[in-house]
Every structure is written in C-alpha cells, then in structure tokens.
Amino acid sequence: ARQAFTSQPDLNPLAATALRVGSAAAVLWLIPIFTGTVGRVVHSLADPHVRSRIMIGSAGGPILGMLCYVAALKYAKAGTVSTLSSMSPIVIIPLVAWRYKTRVRKRALAAAVVAIAGVALISWK
C-alpha cells in the first residue's frame, strides 16, 4: 500500500479501502456458494440481532479499520503505522476479559507485548 501511495500521490485512501473491502466481500461469498449454504446464510440475515452484529462488525473492523490504516500509511511512516496497528491485542485482550468475564494470564499479556516489540524492531529503521 505504501508503494501505491508513493507512485500515485493522488490515490484516495477511501477508494482504495472500498475496493479492498468490496473485493474481500465478493470473495467471501464464494464459500457459501461452493458449499451450497447460500440459502442458510441469507435466511440468517433475516434475524435483526444477526444483522445488527454484522453491521457493527463490518463498519468497525474492515471498513473503518482499513480506512484508518490506509490513510495512516499515506501520511505517516510505515514503521510507525505497523507498530501502532499491531497493538490491537493490547486493546482487545482487556475488552474480551471484561465481556466474557475471563481471567487474562500474565503470559498472554507478555506474549502480546513481545509480539508488538517484534513488529516494532522489524519495521523501524
């Protein structure tokens, strides 16, 4: 993505994200098509609870997340963006622990910190 922005400075992050997310959605529909479960998938979309979770998950993850990531790649150093984007476990682990009432072990937190440090070492010059 960084090379696309340097070779095409007028590339729009929103258009790039829309193309990427739209392509991924189209490819993901191949799974129910090939497994013959399209009817079951479409039927489950009739449930408002399922639809609301899909909309929240789609907007929050692939759409908003990719838009912010691609925009950050256009305007910031790639090493900084990679390090910050790899910090999602530090945010997700406490949220999952709170939501599902699970205990987070120190080993899991240490592993997340080591992984982030590894990304930082690899991607910073």
Side-chain angles (χ1 to χ4, degrees):
R2 172 61 105 187
Q3 291 174 350
F5 288 123
T6 55
S7 65
Q8 302 284 330
D10 57 340
L11 185 63
N12 184 345
L14 182 58
T17 301
L19 182 64
R20 199 174 278 121
V21 171
S23 300
V27 169
L28 282 175
W29 270 103
L30 293 176
I31 296 169
I33 289 170
F34 286 128
T35 59
T37 57
V38 172
R40 193 170 64 186
V41 171
V42 171
H43 178 70
S44 67
L45 292 175
D47 183 357
H49 183 70
V50 171
R51 258 195 333 267
S52 68
R53 294 211 174 205
I54 288 174
M55 296 303 285
I56 291 168
S58 297
I63 295 173
L64 187 61
M66 283 301 297
L67 178 61
C68 291
Y69 182 74
V70 172
L73 276 177
K74 184 171 183 171
Y75 299 111
K77 293 181 180 179
T80 304
V81 174
S82 296
T83 303
L84 290 175
S85 66
S86 72
M87 293 181 74
S88 60
I90 299 297
V91 175
I92 297 297
I93 290 172
L95 289 175
V96 169
W98 170 74
R99 169 67 172 91
Y100 296 105
K101 311 282 190 272
T102 58
R103 190 172 148 247
V104 179
R105 297 181 182 201
K106 291 179 183 177
R107 252 173 92 175
L109 288 175
V113 169
V114 168
I116 293 166
V119 171
L121 287 173
I122 289 170
S123 55
W124 285 55
K125 290 184 179 182

